[in-house]
Amino acid sequence: MKRLVPACLLCLLVIAQTAFAQAQRPKIGLVLSGGGARGLAHIGVLRVLEEMQVPVDLIVGTSMGAVVGGAYAAGRSVDELETLVKSANWNAILADRPARDRLSVRRREDDERLPSRIEFGFNLERGAMLPGGAAANGQLEATLSSLLPATRTDDPLRRLPIPFRAVATDLLSGAMLDQADTPLFEALRASMAVPGVFAPLRVNGRPRVDGGLVRNLPVDIARQLGADIVIAVNVGTPLLEDREITSAVMVANQMLQILTEQNVQRSLRELKPQDIIIDPDLPGMGFMDFQRADEAMATGRRAALAAGERLAALAAPVAQAALQARRLGQPEAALGALPLAALKFSGAQRVNPEALRAELALQPGDTVGRAELNRAVERLDGLGDFERIETDVDDHDGRRSVEFRLTEADWAASRVRLGLELYSNFADASSYSLVAMHVANWLNAWGAEVRSIVRIGSTRGLNTEFYQPLGPGSRWFASAKLAYTAGNNDVFDQGQRALRLSSSLTSAQLELGYRVAGLGDLRFGVGRLRANDEVVLPVVPENGRRSQSYGQQYLELHTDTLDSLAFPSRGQWTTARIEWLHPRGEPRVINASLLGLSAFRLGEWAGQLYGEFAHAERGQTRSLGGYLRLSGTPDGSLVGENMALTRIVMARRIGEMPVGLGGAVRIGFSLETGAVGGGAGLKLSNLPRSGWRQAASGFLSVDTRFGPFFLALGTTRGGDTSAYLLLGPTW
């Protein structure tokens, strides 16, 4: 017993000495700068600090530095951060709206009518209203939510396990905000609201944007929180060189970088001799180069290891272990599925919550877990009416209440989309059209909307549709349509141009339809048509004008689940239509068509298989000839009562346009075969059995804000070869 007493005293002495040493060690603050994709290097730095057992007592970050630092301070491990960054769909996050196959059926139809992304709001009181940023908010906020532990998203920054601050800028006053009392999710969302890319976030009625405008490397805030030693990680984007400033967009970008670089240099001058600066070398890596995430994280690790000798002097295993235990705490419990007790919507002004409830189809008693909530947010986001969608979950007595807090997009109530369509085969077929589409929605509590399209140029037209659901969120609907289209078109005989017509078509239609959730719709319509033709070449002294009136009934099924109209990699698109026409004073005739496309991915290639059959006894026939309709064959030169076409198109991404200006740059090719034939009546036996032609094309394409742009060269076997320039829809 006498021998144990000195041993116990020795243990107490060691513990006391350790506690004293920890109390005397300097407090270490980690400062993480903004820099977009370059900020992913912070994850590599965090890994080295953990490996070297350097305790991090507090974290301050801006923009992407705030996102990485905030997620880490809230309890995410470095492994989790790496996994989440690698699995994120950055193209979708930076897109100006949700993925196309997640849009509502009506919004997908907008794309078919006008694929341009030049869109803004307009009303007589406020004039033109632009969206808050070039990129949409929904996917960004969904990704940000996945980065954060669900139990911490609503915690103010000052209540996190490790002291943390996220710098933002008050857009009205220009003041720097450390957001100490702002909930974690909102603080990070505001800090990374890069002006012009992401919309500002309103907190307490005031808009906040990226903190990089005022403090991209917030060393002073770390000092205010008590840091004795600052480890500053600077990943800011360097200024552009003269040869790189090639456009107004680049000039604006350089202006922002100058503001950022000035405040970074001021922060660097505040560093003291005992502080450590880590400056990852990321040559050529741009603000939006998220596809280089692995490279950024590896570079951050190398930069931290380069400062290894100085970092090793800060190692404190006991303190680091204690901080890690406090930071990680208890593992985050997965959000299990529970029966739904109540579903609420708040913040909606124009949009009827009852229609949203019907759209989501969530009923009391339904089992609701994380997957169901994510699908609900996607469907709400796909309506295009909301700027933000927040989800509150309250579990009580084994049941779950869900509230969606909605922020409506003011500009979306009355939207204008502008487009440009160009086509030329560099020979005898050229056309252009300026197009404007206006959509006014939620005209009544049942969700009525009016969509109008005006087209001027080689083709002139005006059409409008009044669309009325038959109840809040009802799948049944009625619509009324008026349309006028006019233009010139060539008529061919035996493949040779015979004459040129000036044609116009006026129509009025009433429809009853059923919307197939997430797929498309089925419509039955009746209408009246009036067609006018006049021969303009050659000049005909008499009888050059012809008019005909028709009664019309039709049945049409349309489905669309494509993720892209120009180069889809998943989904299908079909239109099946049968039409009964009653020419005045003549027997009834039948027109029918079936068009289908299936998209797929083959390694790095996106592919689409397309097929079409049309039968036309009278009215608007679909001809062959022109780009992707037997490329190389003169446009519209093959006409028959029956027509069949099939093709395969393959495209590979080779580059990317700057964010806000467009999307991918691609190369690709097509293989096509088609034929026309005669034969009375709508019968399978009347499908063309001979005269099939084969064609192919190669192309370069760019996704522009006006739609897909093509430069192509096409040839028909044993026939002609043509070059094509095309901006707009291709099928």
Side-chain angles (χ1 to χ4, degrees):
M1 187 71 177
K2 292 180 180 179
R3 295 179 179 176
L4 293 177
V5 174
C8 291
L9 290 174
L10 182 60
C11 291
L12 292 173
L13 181 61
V14 171
I15 293 172
Q17 288 177 335
T18 302
F20 179 77
Q22 296 300 330
Q24 295 301 307
R25 75 172 181 82
K27 182 178 287 188
I28 299 172
L30 180 63
V31 178
L32 305 177
S33 80
R38 299 166 66 91
L40 300 179
H42 295 317
I43 298 174
V45 174
L46 286 170
R47 183 171 293 283
V48 171
L49 294 178
E50 286 193 357
E51 292 172 351
M52 301 188 71
Q53 297 183 305
V54 176
V56 176
D57 297 283
L58 60 96
I59 302 175
V60 184
T62 297
S63 196
M64 185 57 75
V67 171
V68 174
Y72 186 78
R76 286 295 188 197
S77 69
V78 174
D79 287 340
E80 287 176 319
L81 289 176
E82 283 193 359
T83 300
L84 290 166
V85 163
K86 291 178 181 179
S87 62
N89 185 345
W90 293 104
N91 287 333
I93 293 169
L94 299 174
D96 61 346
R97 64 177 189 178
R100 185 177 182 277
D101 50 351
R102 294 180 179 177
L103 296 176
S104 67
V105 170
R106 290 290 293 178
R107 301 292 71 84
R108 280 178 245 162
E109 288 178 0
D110 292 346
D111 280 359
E112 292 187 55
R113 282 146 181 80
L114 184 57
S116 169
R117 298 298 305 131
I118 307 296
E119 193 167 37
F120 55 91
F122 180 84
N123 63 37
L124 295 178
E125 291 183 9
R126 300 177 59 181
M129 296 174 287
L130 296 176
N137 296 329
Q139 190 66 37
L140 167 69
E141 297 188 355
T143 302
L144 189 56
S145 293
S146 69
L147 280 170
L148 303 176
T151 56
R152 294 288 186 187
T153 56
D154 294 325
D155 287 353
L157 300 191
R158 65 171 72 251
R159 288 179 51 191
L160 294 180
I162 291 179
F164 170 70
R165 297 293 185 269
V167 179
T169 304
D170 186 308
L171 189 58
L172 300 182
S173 68
M176 180 183 69
L177 307 171
D178 69 5
Q179 307 190 99
D181 296 309
T182 304
L184 176 61
F185 178 87
E186 293 185 357
L188 301 190
R189 172 65 179 82
S191 185
M192 68 179 303
V194 181
V197 179
F198 297 116
L201 179 74
R202 288 190 173 271
V203 179
N204 299 324
R206 295 181 70 86
R208 298 181 182 182
V209 295
D210 194 318
L213 296 177
V214 289
R215 201 74 87 250
N216 203 49
L217 190 67
V219 172
D220 54 340
I221 296 181
R223 297 271 190 235
Q224 294 168 14
L225 292 176
D228 299 308
I229 295 177
V230 170
I231 301 173
V233 187
N234 181 26
V235 297
T237 307
L239 296 177
L240 299 173
E241 297 181 6
D242 185 24
R243 59 183 174 80
E244 298 176 294
I245 304 176
T246 57
S247 66
V249 174
M250 292 301 184
V251 172
N253 179 69
Q254 184 80 332
M255 291 171 60
L256 288 175
Q257 294 304 329
I258 289 172
L259 291 173
T260 301
E261 185 62 21
Q262 286 178 342
N263 71 62
V264 166
Q265 291 301 319
R266 183 170 62 248
S267 295
L268 290 174
R269 290 193 291 269
E270 296 171 357
L271 294 175
K272 299 178 179 180
Q274 69 268 28
D275 297 330
I276 300 172
I277 178 71
I278 298 175
D279 193 0
D281 184 19
L282 296 161
M285 185 170 182
F287 186 83
M288 295 297 181
D289 287 343
F290 286 97
Q291 70 274 13
R292 298 170 64 181
D294 285 335
E295 178 186 344
M297 291 186 286
T299 302
R301 175 178 172 79
R302 286 195 301 271
L305 289 173
E309 185 175 343
R310 297 193 65 191
L311 292 175
L314 301 178
V318 175
Q320 196 260 358
L323 285 168
Q324 285 286 77
R326 187 172 75 194
R327 184 179 68 83
L328 297 174
Q330 295 295 323
E332 180 186 3
L335 184 67
L338 291 174
L340 182 65
L343 179 63
K344 301 177 182 178
F345 299 89
S346 61
Q349 303 297 321
R350 296 181 300 107
V351 181
N352 184 356
E354 291 305 311
L356 300 180
R357 198 182 308 275
E359 180 70 25
L360 298 186
L362 289 175
Q363 302 297 327
D366 289 350
T367 301
V368 175
R370 175 64 63 190
E372 288 75 20
L373 290 176
N374 289 343
R375 282 196 295 269
V377 171
E378 287 177 0
R379 296 186 74 168
L380 293 174
D381 199 25
L383 296 174
D385 295 310
F386 305 112
E387 188 173 279
R388 293 194 66 209
I389 303 166
E390 301 173 81
T391 307
D392 286 342
V393 176
D394 181 23
D395 296 340
H396 187 69
D397 294 334
R399 296 176 66 81
R400 172 163 293 153
S401 295
V402 177
E403 179 180 358
F404 293 105
R405 290 184 287 142
L406 309 172
T407 303
E408 293 181 345
D410 293 339
W411 70 276
S414 176
R415 297 190 295 273
V416 175
R417 184 180 294 188
L418 302 178
L420 174 64
E421 297 175 355
L422 300 173
Y423 180 85
S424 175
N425 65 1
F426 298 98
D428 54 2
S430 296
S431 64
Y432 76 93
S433 294
L434 298 176
V435 192
M437 178 171 68
H438 176 255
V439 178
N441 60 11
W442 291 102
L443 300 178
N444 56 38
W446 286 7
E449 74 173 46
V450 172
R451 178 168 57 205
S452 303
I453 302 174
V454 178
R455 180 176 272 102
I456 60 174
S458 302
T459 300
R460 306 169 299 283
L462 169 64
N463 65 74
T464 186
E465 176 191 16
F466 177 77
Y467 175 89
Q468 176 65 70
L470 301 182
S474 173
R475 294 188 180 182
W476 289 96
F477 64 88
S479 75
K481 295 179 177 180
L482 294 173
Y484 170 79
T485 303
N488 294 333
N489 60 285
D490 293 334
V491 177
F492 287 78
D493 183 21
Q494 302 291 322
Q496 300 295 317
R497 186 175 286 102
L499 52 87
R500 176 164 294 177
L501 296 179
S502 175
S503 304
S504 66
L505 178 68
T506 305
S507 64
Q509 297 159 329
L510 295 175
E511 296 178 332
L512 177 66
Y514 181 79
R515 179 168 55 90
V516 183
L519 292 177
D521 52 43
L522 176 67
R523 298 172 182 242
F524 173 73
V526 297
R528 296 290 299 176
L529 310 176
R530 183 171 184 84
N532 296 292
D533 293 323
E534 182 178 3
V535 178
V536 294
L537 287 176
V539 176
V540 179
E542 298 179 359
N543 299 322
R545 181 175 303 211
R546 181 181 61 180
S547 295
Q548 179 68 62
S549 296
Y550 303 84
Q552 179 192 46
Q553 296 91 39
Y554 58 89
L555 185 66
E556 180 177 283
L557 173 66
H558 180 64
T559 67
D560 179 4
T561 60
L562 297 177
D563 60 343
S564 166
L565 277 181
F567 296 105
S569 60
R570 64 177 182 270
Q572 288 79 40
W573 181 95
T574 59
T575 296
R577 178 184 174 98
I578 185 167
E579 175 184 53
W580 296 269
L581 291 177
H582 304 267
R584 180 174 296 177
E586 298 182 25
R588 185 184 73 171
V589 296
I590 298 177
N591 294 342
S593 60
L594 175 63
L595 297 77
L597 182 148
S598 180
F600 60 91
R601 179 169 291 280
L602 191 61
E604 297 294 322
W605 293 80
Q608 52 182 272
L609 180 63
Y610 176 86
E612 176 181 347
F613 166 71
H615 169 82
E617 297 176 9
R618 179 74 65 88
Q620 294 176 300
T621 60
R622 294 178 63 87
S623 60
L624 289 180
Y627 182 55
L628 294 184
R629 302 186 64 79
L630 295 184
S631 300
T633 299
D635 293 62
S637 60
L638 302 180
V639 181
E641 197 166 295
N642 298 298
M643 183 274 292
L645 171 70
T646 185
R647 66 171 176 257
I648 185 169
V649 179
M650 303 292 293
R652 178 171 181 162
R653 183 190 302 254
I654 59 171
E656 201 77 27
M657 292 282 286
V659 173
L661 296 182
V665 179
R666 296 180 174 89
I667 58 171
F669 65 89
S670 70
L671 301 175
E672 312 152 34
T673 183
V676 298
L682 179 57
K683 302 176 183 178
L684 289 177
S685 60
N686 289 331
L687 278 170
R689 297 179 179 275
S690 60
W692 285 80
R693 303 190 184 192
Q694 291 76 45
S697 75
F699 59 81
L700 171 70
S701 174
V702 180
D703 287 339
T704 73
R705 298 286 290 178
F706 282 103
F709 171 81
F710 292 84
L711 281 175
L713 183 66
T715 182
T716 297
R717 184 179 181 184
D720 297 327
T721 297
S722 294
Y724 297 95
L725 180 150
L726 176 69
L727 174 63
T730 56
W731 49 275

